[in-house]
Amino acid sequence: MRSFLPLAAVATSTLLLLTSVESFQTQTTSMISMQPTRKQSQTALNANASTSKPEKRIVIVGGGTAGIGVAGMCEKEGLTKVTLVEPKGVHYYQPLWTLVGGGIKSSTASVRPMKDIVPQSTNWVQNSVKSFDPDDNKVTLQDGTEIEYDYLIVGAGIQSNWDVVPGVEEGLETPESGVVSVYDYKYSDKVWKEFNRIKENKDKTMIFTMPPTPIKCAGAPQKIMWLLEDTLREAGLRATATVEFWVPGASMFSVKHYSDKLENLRLERDVGAHFKHELIALDVEKKEATFKNLDDSNQLVKKAYDFIHVVPHMSPPDFIKGSKLANEAGWIDVDKHTMQSTKYANVFGLGDCTSTPNSKTAAAITSQAPVLVHNLERAIDGQKLDGKYNGYSACPLVIGQDKCILAEFGYEGKLMETFGRDTGYFPLNMVGTDGALQLRFFYFLKEQVFPFVYWYLWPRGNWYGTRGTFKPNVIPVHDREDGK
C-alpha cells in the first residue's frame, strides 16, 4: 500500500501554491505597474491618439504544451488576433503517463477536449500544416488552404517514429507481449496491465530502454523503471526479478550531479546497467531483444525478457524537415536565447521542435514561452529583442511511489534548482533539495500540483514556470537599464 506524504510536505506545498495564486490576485496592481501588458500599454497610447496601429496577425503552429501556453500568454498580453493550427481534437498532459504506467493515475486524467483548452480569443483551425512559405508569410494546410501571417510561432513538438525498430509496433499492439511504453496515450494503460500479469512470475526479467535520438522527457524511461521496481519491493516480489537499464548513453543522466545520485540509487537497489547499448530489434514471439554494443564494434547482444519498456526514435516533424525554417538536422533553427528564427525575423519557435540545446521538457517550455512572447512584442514594436532564455529545463525524476528527485538545470548542465540553497530564491530556497521530506514534497508537486497548474493556469497564460503566477523579467540583470 502506498505510504502517505508527511503532513508537513502537503501543507507546505499547498501553501506555496495558494499563496502564489492569492498573491497574484491581490497584488495585480503593483505587478502591472512594474511590467504592464501590451494591452495596458496600448490603452495608454490610445488615450493620447485617435488611431492605433493595425493589430498584427499571429499564427501559432502546434496545439501542444508550447502552442497552448504561448496562445494563453498572447491573449493575456492583449495580442488577440491569433490563429492556432492544430489537427487533434484532444489535448494531452503527457507527463502524467508515467504515473498511469505505474498504476497511480488514470489515463483519462491526462486528456481533455481541445476546445476546452484553447484560449477564448484564439481562432483554432483544426487542420495539419503541409508546408511553410516564409518568403511570402504563408502557411499551407493539408487541404490546400493558405493562412497569411505577420508573425509565425512554431511549437509543433517532436515526432515519434515507432516503426524504426522492427518488432516494437507489433509488440505494443499485441496483448500479453510484455512490450510496453509510457510514450503514448493509447499504450500507457498497458504498462500497468502487463506489469501485474508478470509481477508474480519467478525469475522474471524486466528491461528498460532508450533510443539514440533526442527524445522528449528523457527521464521518463527510468521514472517508470523506478516506480515499478519500488512496487515490486513493496509487494515482497523484488527478489525474484531482474531489473536492467539498457541505454545508448554512458551514464544514468546527462547532468553529472543527478547522474551520480541515480548511479548510487541503482547500486543500492541492485538494478543492472548496460550503457552504450542501442535496441535495434524485438522478436515478439520469442520475447527476445537485440541490442547493438556501441563500445564493441557494434557487436550484437541478444537478451530474453518478460517485460520490456520501449521508447520510439524521435525526430522533427516531417513537415518541418527540409523547410526553409529548419537547420540541417531538421529542427526549427532559432537563436537559443531569444527564440527568434535565425533565418526570418518574423518567425519564432519554442519547445521540442527547435534547435535549442536544452533538455526537451514541458518545464523548458514554461521558461521559453515568456521570453518568446516578450520578444515577439518587442519585434512588433520595432525594438531590440532583449529577452533571454537561459536553457532552463526540469525533470521530476520519480524514484518510488512517493519519492522524486527534482532535477533542474540550464545550458551546459548548470544547476538551476528552484528550491536549492545556493541556486534558488527566497523563500523557496529554504526548502532545500536533499532529504526524505524533500523527496516526498517534490513527488507531491509532480503528482498533484503540476497537473493542476497545467490544466487551470497554463492555458490561460497565468503560469510562468519557476516564477509561478508572477510574470518574470526575462531581461538578464546585466542587460537591464536599472541594473535590478
Side-chain angles (χ1 to χ4, degrees):
M1 183 175 179
R2 291 176 56 211
S3 60
F4 289 98
L5 295 172
L7 180 61
V10 178
T12 302
S13 55
T14 304
L15 181 62
L16 284 170
L17 178 65
L18 294 181
T19 300
S20 178
V21 174
E22 182 179 2
S23 296
F24 173 78
Q25 294 171 337
T26 59
Q27 299 181 27
T28 300
T29 302
S30 62
M31 291 299 295
I32 288 174
S33 66
M34 294 171 60
Q35 295 191 58
T37 65
R38 183 179 182 81
K39 181 188 291 185
Q40 292 154 347
S41 298
Q42 191 63 53
T43 299
L45 289 173
N46 289 346
N48 298 310
S50 58
T51 60
S52 60
K53 293 180 293 184
E55 190 166 2
K56 300 300 183 181
R57 299 164 300 175
I58 300 168
V59 171
I60 302 173
V61 174
T65 300
I68 286 295
V70 167
M73 290 184 187
C74 283
E75 180 178 73
K76 189 172 180 181
E77 292 294 309
L79 297 167
T80 55
K81 202 166 186 179
V82 176
T83 296
L84 177 73
V85 181
E86 169 54 51
K88 294 187 181 69
V90 294
H91 185 93
Y92 298 108
Y93 177 54
Q94 299 181 35
L96 210 63
W97 293 341
T98 303
L99 300 184
V100 173
I104 295 168
K105 293 285 188 178
S106 165
S107 59
T108 56
S110 72
V111 60
R112 295 195 178 183
M114 181 63 74
K115 63 181 178 63
D116 296 341
I117 301 300
V118 177
Q120 188 174 4
S121 67
T122 300
N123 174 37
W124 170 33
V125 176
Q126 191 173 0
N127 209 323
S128 300
V129 170
K130 181 179 181 180
S131 62
F132 298 105
D133 185 359
D135 293 317
D136 288 330
N137 297 327
K138 294 179 181 178
V139 173
T140 302
L141 307 183
Q142 286 294 339
D143 63 2
T145 302
E146 292 183 343
I147 301 178
E148 296 182 345
Y149 62 82
D150 295 303
Y151 289 89
L152 173 67
I153 301 170
V154 185
I158 196 168
Q159 180 173 291
S160 295
N161 303 310
W162 293 99
D163 60 343
V164 172
V165 177
V168 163
E169 282 188 298
E170 177 191 352
L172 288 169
E173 296 291 342
T174 303
E176 300 188 0
S177 64
V179 182
V180 301
S181 183
V182 297
Y183 273 85
D184 196 290
Y185 175 78
K186 68 178 180 178
Y187 300 136
S188 58
D189 283 321
K190 187 185 179 186
V191 180
W192 185 242
K193 290 178 183 177
E194 287 292 272
F195 171 74
N196 279 290
R197 183 180 65 82
I198 64 98
K199 68 180 181 182
E200 295 189 14
N201 293 356
K202 292 185 178 180
D203 302 321
K204 51 191 168 287
T205 297
M206 300 175 65
I207 296 175
F208 298 82
T209 70
M210 289 180 68
T213 64
I215 62 174
K216 55 187 173 185
C217 194
Q222 63 177 297
K223 293 179 193 179
I224 188 62
M225 177 181 76
W226 296 123
L227 264 177
L228 298 182
E229 191 274 345
D230 190 48
T231 303
L232 287 174
R233 192 175 296 277
E234 192 173 84
L237 301 171
R238 180 63 178 88
T240 62
T242 297
V243 180
E244 296 182 342
F245 195 46
W246 291 68
V247 294
S251 63
M252 292 296 292
F253 200 73
S254 59
V255 179
K256 187 177 186 303
H257 176 76
Y258 301 110
S259 184
D260 289 346
K261 289 185 176 184
L262 293 166
E263 178 65 11
N264 290 335
L265 185 66
R266 182 186 74 78
L267 296 173
E268 176 187 322
R269 287 162 66 167
D270 193 28
V271 170
H274 296 266
F275 300 120
K276 306 298 286 185
H277 280 75
E278 176 188 341
L279 177 67
I280 61 170
L282 287 182
D283 188 321
V284 177
E285 186 176 348
K286 292 182 179 179
K287 292 191 174 180
E288 184 178 75
T290 301
F291 294 88
K292 180 169 61 177
N293 187 337
L294 304 178
D295 262 351
D296 187 15
S297 304
N298 293 332
Q299 291 293 313
L300 301 185
V301 179
K302 295 187 180 294
K303 178 71 177 181
Y305 62 83
D306 298 288
F307 179 103
I308 184 168
H309 180 272
V310 295
V311 181
H313 285 228
M314 298 187 192
S315 69
D318 287 337
F319 69 90
I320 291 178
K321 300 174 187 175
S323 74
K324 291 183 177 181
L325 302 178
N327 63 12
E328 291 183 358
W331 307 101
I332 295 289
D333 204 4
V334 298
D335 182 281
K336 71 176 186 177
H337 295 299
T338 66
M339 312 307 296
Q340 183 184 43
S341 168
T342 60
K343 302 180 179 183
Y344 295 89
N346 65 337
V347 176
F348 293 81
L350 80 164
D352 298 349
C353 67
T354 68
S355 61
T356 54
N358 56 275
S359 183
K360 298 181 182 296
T361 67
I365 293 170
T366 66
S367 286
Q368 292 174 348
V371 174
L372 186 152
V373 174
H374 170 87
N375 284 335
L376 171 65
E377 294 184 277
R378 299 280 292 183
I380 290 173
D381 292 336
Q383 298 177 315
K384 177 184 176 182
L385 309 192
D386 54 5
K388 300 290 179 65
Y389 168 58
N390 57 17
Y392 174 86
S393 187
C395 180
L397 290 161
V398 177
I399 57 172
Q401 294 185 63
D402 59 358
K403 301 178 185 67
C404 177
I405 296 171
L406 185 57
E408 298 177 280
F409 47 94
Y411 285 138
E412 299 178 352
K414 179 182 178 181
L415 296 187
M416 301 183 69
E417 297 176 326
T418 304
F419 301 95
R421 306 290 189 192
D422 298 324
T423 60
Y425 58 92
F426 183 83
L428 300 184
N429 60 353
M430 300 300 291
V431 175
T433 58
D434 295 316
L437 180 63
Q438 285 81 354
L439 292 179
R440 284 165 173 76
F441 170 54
F442 297 148
Y443 180 85
F444 180 75
L445 293 180
K446 163 72 176 176
E447 183 189 13
Q448 300 292 338
V449 176
F450 293 158
F452 172 84
V453 162
Y454 190 83
W455 291 126
Y456 295 102
L457 300 180
W458 178 248
R460 302 296 171 249
N462 289 331
W463 186 256
Y464 298 98
T466 60
R467 290 293 169 175
T469 57
F470 294 96
K471 181 182 175 182
N473 189 336
V474 297
I475 306 171
V477 174
H478 56 77
D479 290 339
R480 298 175 194 171
E481 292 182 3
D482 58 6
K484 298 179 181 179

